[in-house]
Amino acid sequence: MEDKQQEQAGPSSLIDKTKQQIAEKPSHNASEDEEDEEELTDHIKNGSFVPGPLLSLKEQIEKDKEDESLRRWKEKLLGCLESDLDGQLDPEVKFHSIGILSEDFGEIVTPLPVEENQTGLTLFTLREGSRYQLKLQFSVMHNLVSGLTYSNTVWKGGFQVDQSKGMLGTFAPQKEPYVYALKEDTTPSGALARGVYSAKLKFEDDDKRCHMELKYLFEIKKSG
């Protein structure tokens, strides 16, 4: 009967019991810490570790609401207040604008989402051989967005001519929007490089949720 009760308790109970035993010890040395860590690691390796359910940020903060100092520490760490959260589990990334930074003209900012009457229009024009950067302003809502990445694919005359990818990182909800500049790039040079290009900029997180897909046009003109 005792063995059956232990089986029903599951690995999460064992972890809680281990944590309780550690907390009850008046003092312990590094070797004891290593033993506790090894015990937990063994359960993970043996497949007996069952992770807890995914929680919203609101639920995570509320778990320690009786500990005011810990709650404030979590809010400071996450960059948001409990009152700002609605308990929604899935994160949402809202893009406010896309900007182009160039030595040719400084900065051009286009509000997002792009209006229907702007679809198919050239958002910016660059000289051949000029350096430029794309800059995004966005907000994160509801929960942490983990592993936010981007891909920017470029076509000319129906053929793919370039593709760049990169990692933005992990972002927590906060009141102020994030501003992020993608890595600097240089436009190609030569007669064949001039003309109008089509592009698609896409943002996904590590759960493969697509937070934005923007199709746009730009033009490269002769230098001078």
Side-chain angles (χ1 to χ4, degrees), residues 57-96:
L57 285 185
K58 187 176 182 68
E59 290 174 313
Q60 293 184 41
I61 292 178
E62 287 179 344
K63 283 176 62 179
D64 302 296
K65 65 186 309 178
E66 71 283 354
D67 189 330
E68 183 68 16
S69 60
L70 182 56
R71 184 184 63 82
R72 289 181 178 178
W73 177 81
K74 282 186 176 182
E75 290 180 343
K76 183 178 180 181
L77 180 66
L78 296 172
C80 58
L81 300 175
E82 183 181 352
S83 58
D84 299 331
L85 303 172
D86 56 11
Q88 183 171 318
L89 189 62
D90 292 333
E92 180 183 350
V93 182
K94 182 178 181 181
F95 288 85
H96 303 295

Short mmCIF file of all heavy atoms in Angstrom, two decimals, residues 57-96:
data_model
loop_
_atom_site.label_atom_id
_atom_site.label_comp_id
_atom_site.label_asym_id
_atom_site.label_seq_id
_atom_site.Cartn_x
_atom_site.Cartn_y
_atom_site.Cartn_z
N LEU A 57 1.92 34.62 -16.84
CA LEU A 57 2.70 35.45 -15.92
C LEU A 57 1.86 35.88 -14.73
O LEU A 57 2.36 35.98 -13.61
CB LEU A 57 3.22 36.69 -16.67
CG LEU A 57 4.38 36.47 -17.63
CD1 LEU A 57 4.84 37.80 -18.18
CD2 LEU A 57 5.54 35.77 -16.95
N LYS A 58 0.58 36.14 -14.96
CA LYS A 58 -0.30 36.55 -13.87
C LYS A 58 -0.37 35.47 -12.80
O LYS A 58 -0.30 35.74 -11.61
CB LYS A 58 -1.69 36.86 -14.41
CG LYS A 58 -2.64 37.47 -13.38
CD LYS A 58 -3.97 37.82 -14.02
CE LYS A 58 -4.91 38.46 -13.02
NZ LYS A 58 -4.45 39.79 -12.60
N GLU A 59 -0.50 34.21 -13.25
CA GLU A 59 -0.56 33.09 -12.31
C GLU A 59 0.76 32.91 -11.57
O GLU A 59 0.78 32.59 -10.38
CB GLU A 59 -0.93 31.81 -13.06
CG GLU A 59 -2.36 31.78 -13.56
CD GLU A 59 -2.65 30.56 -14.42
OE1 GLU A 59 -1.83 30.26 -15.31
OE2 GLU A 59 -3.68 29.92 -14.19
N GLN A 60 1.87 33.10 -12.28
CA GLN A 60 3.17 32.95 -11.65
C GLN A 60 3.39 33.99 -10.56
O GLN A 60 3.94 33.70 -9.50
CB GLN A 60 4.28 33.03 -12.70
CG GLN A 60 4.27 31.86 -13.67
CD GLN A 60 5.44 31.93 -14.64
OE1 GLN A 60 6.55 32.25 -14.25
NE2 GLN A 60 5.18 31.63 -15.90
N ILE A 61 2.94 35.21 -10.82
CA ILE A 61 3.09 36.27 -9.81
C ILE A 61 2.15 36.02 -8.64
O ILE A 61 2.51 36.20 -7.48
CB ILE A 61 2.83 37.65 -10.45
CG1 ILE A 61 3.95 37.98 -11.44
CG2 ILE A 61 2.75 38.74 -9.38
CD1 ILE A 61 3.77 39.29 -12.17
N GLU A 62 0.92 35.57 -8.94
CA GLU A 62 -0.05 35.34 -7.89
C GLU A 62 0.33 34.18 -6.96
O GLU A 62 -0.13 34.12 -5.83
CB GLU A 62 -1.43 35.07 -8.51
CG GLU A 62 -2.09 36.31 -9.10
CD GLU A 62 -3.43 36.00 -9.72
OE1 GLU A 62 -3.71 34.80 -9.97
OE2 GLU A 62 -4.20 36.95 -9.97
N LYS A 63 1.18 33.27 -7.46
CA LYS A 63 1.61 32.15 -6.62
C LYS A 63 2.31 32.64 -5.36
O LYS A 63 2.28 31.97 -4.34
CB LYS A 63 2.56 31.24 -7.41
CG LYS A 63 1.86 30.34 -8.41
CD LYS A 63 2.86 29.54 -9.22
CE LYS A 63 3.69 28.63 -8.31
NZ LYS A 63 4.66 27.83 -9.10
N ASP A 64 2.94 33.79 -5.42
CA ASP A 64 3.70 34.30 -4.28
C ASP A 64 3.13 35.63 -3.80
O ASP A 64 3.86 36.47 -3.28
CB ASP A 64 5.18 34.47 -4.68
CG ASP A 64 5.80 33.17 -5.14
OD1 ASP A 64 5.90 32.25 -4.33
OD2 ASP A 64 6.17 33.08 -6.31
N LYS A 65 1.83 35.82 -3.97
CA LYS A 65 1.25 37.12 -3.61
C LYS A 65 1.30 37.39 -2.11
O LYS A 65 1.25 38.54 -1.69
CB LYS A 65 -0.17 37.22 -4.13
CG LYS A 65 -1.15 36.24 -3.51
CD LYS A 65 -2.51 36.30 -4.21
CE LYS A 65 -3.05 37.70 -4.33
NZ LYS A 65 -4.34 37.75 -5.05
N GLU A 66 1.42 36.31 -1.29
CA GLU A 66 1.53 36.53 0.15
C GLU A 66 2.90 37.04 0.55
O GLU A 66 3.08 37.59 1.63
CB GLU A 66 1.21 35.22 0.91
CG GLU A 66 2.26 34.13 0.79
CD GLU A 66 2.22 33.39 -0.53
OE1 GLU A 66 1.29 33.65 -1.31
OE2 GLU A 66 3.11 32.55 -0.76
N ASP A 67 3.88 36.85 -0.34
CA ASP A 67 5.23 37.35 -0.08
C ASP A 67 5.42 38.63 -0.89
O ASP A 67 5.73 38.60 -2.08
CB ASP A 67 6.27 36.30 -0.47
CG ASP A 67 7.68 36.66 -0.02
OD1 ASP A 67 7.98 37.86 0.07
OD2 ASP A 67 8.48 35.74 0.24
N GLU A 68 5.22 39.76 -0.26
CA GLU A 68 5.23 41.05 -0.96
C GLU A 68 6.56 41.34 -1.61
O GLU A 68 6.63 41.81 -2.76
CB GLU A 68 4.87 42.17 0.02
CG GLU A 68 4.78 43.55 -0.61
CD GLU A 68 3.61 43.71 -1.57
OE1 GLU A 68 2.69 42.86 -1.52
OE2 GLU A 68 3.62 44.67 -2.35
N SER A 69 7.66 41.05 -0.91
CA SER A 69 8.99 41.34 -1.45
C SER A 69 9.28 40.47 -2.67
O SER A 69 9.85 40.95 -3.66
CB SER A 69 10.06 41.13 -0.38
OG SER A 69 10.07 39.79 0.08
N LEU A 70 8.88 39.19 -2.63
CA LEU A 70 9.10 38.30 -3.77
C LEU A 70 8.23 38.71 -4.95
O LEU A 70 8.67 38.68 -6.10
CB LEU A 70 8.79 36.85 -3.36
CG LEU A 70 9.02 35.78 -4.44
CD1 LEU A 70 10.45 35.83 -4.96
CD2 LEU A 70 8.69 34.39 -3.88
N ARG A 71 6.99 39.12 -4.67
CA ARG A 71 6.11 39.56 -5.75
C ARG A 71 6.68 40.79 -6.45
O ARG A 71 6.70 40.88 -7.68
CB ARG A 71 4.72 39.87 -5.19
CG ARG A 71 3.69 40.26 -6.25
CD ARG A 71 2.36 40.64 -5.63
NE ARG A 71 2.50 41.83 -4.80
CZ ARG A 71 2.51 43.07 -5.27
NH1 ARG A 71 2.42 43.29 -6.58
NH2 ARG A 71 2.61 44.10 -4.46
N ARG A 72 7.18 41.75 -5.66
CA ARG A 72 7.77 42.96 -6.24
C ARG A 72 9.03 42.63 -7.03
O ARG A 72 9.29 43.23 -8.08
CB ARG A 72 8.09 43.96 -5.14
CG ARG A 72 6.85 44.60 -4.52
CD ARG A 72 7.23 45.60 -3.46
NE ARG A 72 6.06 46.25 -2.89
CZ ARG A 72 6.11 47.15 -1.91
NH1 ARG A 72 7.30 47.50 -1.40
NH2 ARG A 72 5.00 47.69 -1.44
N TRP A 73 9.79 41.66 -6.53
CA TRP A 73 11.02 41.26 -7.24
C TRP A 73 10.67 40.65 -8.60
O TRP A 73 11.31 40.94 -9.60
CB TRP A 73 11.79 40.25 -6.39
CG TRP A 73 13.02 39.73 -7.09
CD1 TRP A 73 14.24 40.33 -7.18
CD2 TRP A 73 13.14 38.49 -7.80
NE1 TRP A 73 15.12 39.54 -7.90
CE2 TRP A 73 14.46 38.41 -8.29
CE3 TRP A 73 12.26 37.44 -8.06
CZ2 TRP A 73 14.93 37.33 -9.02
CZ3 TRP A 73 12.73 36.36 -8.80
CH2 TRP A 73 14.03 36.32 -9.28
N LYS A 74 9.61 39.83 -8.63
CA LYS A 74 9.17 39.23 -9.90
C LYS A 74 8.70 40.31 -10.87
O LYS A 74 9.02 40.27 -12.05
CB LYS A 74 8.04 38.23 -9.65
CG LYS A 74 8.49 36.88 -9.11
CD LYS A 74 7.31 35.93 -9.05
CE LYS A 74 7.74 34.55 -8.61
NZ LYS A 74 6.60 33.60 -8.59
N GLU A 75 7.94 41.27 -10.36
CA GLU A 75 7.45 42.34 -11.22
C GLU A 75 8.60 43.16 -11.78
O GLU A 75 8.59 43.56 -12.95
CB GLU A 75 6.48 43.23 -10.45
CG GLU A 75 5.15 42.56 -10.13
CD GLU A 75 4.21 43.46 -9.37
OE1 GLU A 75 4.70 44.47 -8.81
OE2 GLU A 75 3.01 43.16 -9.31
N LYS A 76 9.61 43.41 -10.95
CA LYS A 76 10.78 44.16 -11.41
C LYS A 76 11.56 43.37 -12.45
O LYS A 76 12.03 43.91 -13.47
CB LYS A 76 11.68 44.51 -10.23
CG LYS A 76 12.89 45.36 -10.60
CD LYS A 76 13.72 45.72 -9.38
CE LYS A 76 14.92 46.58 -9.75
NZ LYS A 76 15.75 46.92 -8.57
N LEU A 77 11.70 42.07 -12.21
CA LEU A 77 12.42 41.20 -13.13
C LEU A 77 11.71 41.11 -14.47
O LEU A 77 12.34 41.17 -15.53
CB LEU A 77 12.57 39.80 -12.52
CG LEU A 77 13.30 38.75 -13.36
CD1 LEU A 77 14.77 39.11 -13.54
CD2 LEU A 77 13.19 37.37 -12.72
N LEU A 78 10.39 41.00 -14.44
CA LEU A 78 9.62 40.84 -15.67
C LEU A 78 9.34 42.17 -16.36
O LEU A 78 8.96 42.20 -17.52
CB LEU A 78 8.29 40.15 -15.35
CG LEU A 78 8.40 38.71 -14.83
CD1 LEU A 78 7.05 38.21 -14.37
CD2 LEU A 78 8.97 37.80 -15.90
N GLY A 79 9.49 43.27 -15.62
CA GLY A 79 9.26 44.58 -16.21
C GLY A 79 7.81 44.94 -16.37
O GLY A 79 7.44 45.74 -17.23
N CYS A 80 6.95 44.30 -15.57
CA CYS A 80 5.53 44.61 -15.66
C CYS A 80 4.89 44.44 -14.29
O CYS A 80 5.44 43.80 -13.40
CB CYS A 80 4.81 43.71 -16.68
SG CYS A 80 4.96 41.95 -16.30
N LEU A 81 3.69 45.01 -14.13
CA LEU A 81 2.93 44.90 -12.90
C LEU A 81 1.84 43.85 -13.07
O LEU A 81 1.37 43.58 -14.18
CB LEU A 81 2.30 46.24 -12.53
CG LEU A 81 3.26 47.41 -12.31
CD1 LEU A 81 2.47 48.69 -12.07
CD2 LEU A 81 4.20 47.14 -11.15
N GLU A 82 1.45 43.26 -11.93
CA GLU A 82 0.39 42.25 -11.99
C GLU A 82 -0.89 42.82 -12.60
O GLU A 82 -1.61 42.14 -13.32
CB GLU A 82 0.13 41.72 -10.58
CG GLU A 82 -0.91 40.61 -10.54
CD GLU A 82 -1.18 40.13 -9.13
OE1 GLU A 82 -0.46 40.54 -8.21
OE2 GLU A 82 -2.13 39.34 -8.96
N SER A 83 -1.16 44.09 -12.31
CA SER A 83 -2.37 44.73 -12.83
C SER A 83 -2.33 44.89 -14.35
O SER A 83 -3.37 45.09 -14.98
CB SER A 83 -2.56 46.10 -12.17
OG SER A 83 -1.43 46.92 -12.39
N ASP A 84 -1.12 44.79 -14.95
CA ASP A 84 -1.00 44.92 -16.41
C ASP A 84 -1.31 43.62 -17.13
O ASP A 84 -1.44 43.60 -18.35
CB ASP A 84 0.43 45.36 -16.79
CG ASP A 84 0.80 46.71 -16.21
OD1 ASP A 84 -0.12 47.52 -16.01
OD2 ASP A 84 1.99 46.94 -15.94
N LEU A 85 -1.41 42.51 -16.39
CA LEU A 85 -1.56 41.19 -17.00
C LEU A 85 -3.01 40.73 -16.92
O LEU A 85 -3.72 41.04 -15.97
CB LEU A 85 -0.65 40.18 -16.29
CG LEU A 85 0.84 40.54 -16.26
CD1 LEU A 85 1.61 39.58 -15.38
CD2 LEU A 85 1.42 40.56 -17.67
N ASP A 86 -3.44 39.98 -17.94
CA ASP A 86 -4.83 39.53 -17.99
C ASP A 86 -4.99 38.04 -17.83
O ASP A 86 -6.11 37.51 -17.93
CB ASP A 86 -5.48 39.98 -19.31
CG ASP A 86 -4.71 39.48 -20.52
OD1 ASP A 86 -3.80 38.63 -20.36
OD2 ASP A 86 -5.00 39.93 -21.64
N GLY A 87 -3.90 37.32 -17.58
CA GLY A 87 -3.99 35.89 -17.37
C GLY A 87 -3.97 35.07 -18.64
O GLY A 87 -4.03 33.84 -18.59
N GLN A 88 -3.90 35.72 -19.80
CA GLN A 88 -3.84 34.97 -21.06
C GLN A 88 -2.53 34.22 -21.15
O GLN A 88 -1.47 34.75 -20.80
CB GLN A 88 -3.99 35.91 -22.25
CG GLN A 88 -4.00 35.19 -23.60
CD GLN A 88 -4.36 36.13 -24.75
OE1 GLN A 88 -5.26 36.95 -24.62
NE2 GLN A 88 -3.67 36.00 -25.87
N LEU A 89 -2.59 32.97 -21.61
CA LEU A 89 -1.41 32.11 -21.61
C LEU A 89 -0.46 32.41 -22.77
O LEU A 89 0.75 32.52 -22.58
CB LEU A 89 -1.84 30.65 -21.67
CG LEU A 89 -0.75 29.59 -21.45
CD1 LEU A 89 -0.13 29.74 -20.07
CD2 LEU A 89 -1.33 28.19 -21.63
N ASP A 90 -1.00 32.56 -23.98
CA ASP A 90 -0.15 32.74 -25.15
C ASP A 90 0.30 34.20 -25.28
O ASP A 90 -0.51 35.12 -25.13
CB ASP A 90 -0.90 32.35 -26.42
CG ASP A 90 -1.18 30.85 -26.48
OD1 ASP A 90 -0.40 30.10 -25.87
OD2 ASP A 90 -2.17 30.45 -27.12
N PRO A 91 1.58 34.41 -25.57
CA PRO A 91 2.06 35.78 -25.75
C PRO A 91 1.58 36.36 -27.08
O PRO A 91 1.24 35.63 -28.01
CB PRO A 91 3.59 35.61 -25.76
CG PRO A 91 3.80 34.23 -26.29
CD PRO A 91 2.65 33.41 -25.77
N GLU A 92 1.55 37.67 -27.13
CA GLU A 92 1.19 38.37 -28.37
C GLU A 92 2.19 39.49 -28.60
O GLU A 92 2.50 40.25 -27.69
CB GLU A 92 -0.22 38.95 -28.27
CG GLU A 92 -0.67 39.70 -29.52
CD GLU A 92 -2.04 40.32 -29.37
OE1 GLU A 92 -2.73 40.01 -28.38
OE2 GLU A 92 -2.41 41.13 -30.25
N VAL A 93 2.72 39.55 -29.81
CA VAL A 93 3.66 40.60 -30.18
C VAL A 93 2.96 41.51 -31.18
O VAL A 93 2.51 41.07 -32.24
CB VAL A 93 4.95 40.03 -30.80
CG1 VAL A 93 5.92 41.16 -31.14
CG2 VAL A 93 5.61 39.04 -29.85
N LYS A 94 2.85 42.78 -30.82
CA LYS A 94 2.21 43.76 -31.68
C LYS A 94 3.26 44.71 -32.23
O LYS A 94 3.94 45.40 -31.47
CB LYS A 94 1.15 44.54 -30.91
CG LYS A 94 0.39 45.56 -31.76
CD LYS A 94 -0.67 46.28 -30.95
CE LYS A 94 -1.43 47.28 -31.81
NZ LYS A 94 -2.46 48.00 -31.02
N PHE A 95 3.42 44.75 -33.54
CA PHE A 95 4.41 45.61 -34.18
C PHE A 95 3.76 46.95 -34.51
O PHE A 95 2.71 47.03 -35.14
CB PHE A 95 4.95 44.95 -35.45
CG PHE A 95 5.86 43.79 -35.16
CD1 PHE A 95 5.35 42.52 -34.94
CD2 PHE A 95 7.23 43.97 -35.08
CE1 PHE A 95 6.18 41.44 -34.66
CE2 PHE A 95 8.08 42.90 -34.79
CZ PHE A 95 7.55 41.64 -34.59
N HIS A 96 4.44 48.01 -34.08
CA HIS A 96 3.90 49.36 -34.26
C HIS A 96 4.44 50.06 -35.51
O HIS A 96 3.72 50.83 -36.15
CB HIS A 96 4.23 50.22 -33.04
CG HIS A 96 3.73 49.64 -31.75
ND1 HIS A 96 2.40 49.48 -31.47
CD2 HIS A 96 4.40 49.17 -30.66
CE1 HIS A 96 2.25 48.94 -30.27
NE2 HIS A 96 3.45 48.74 -29.76
#
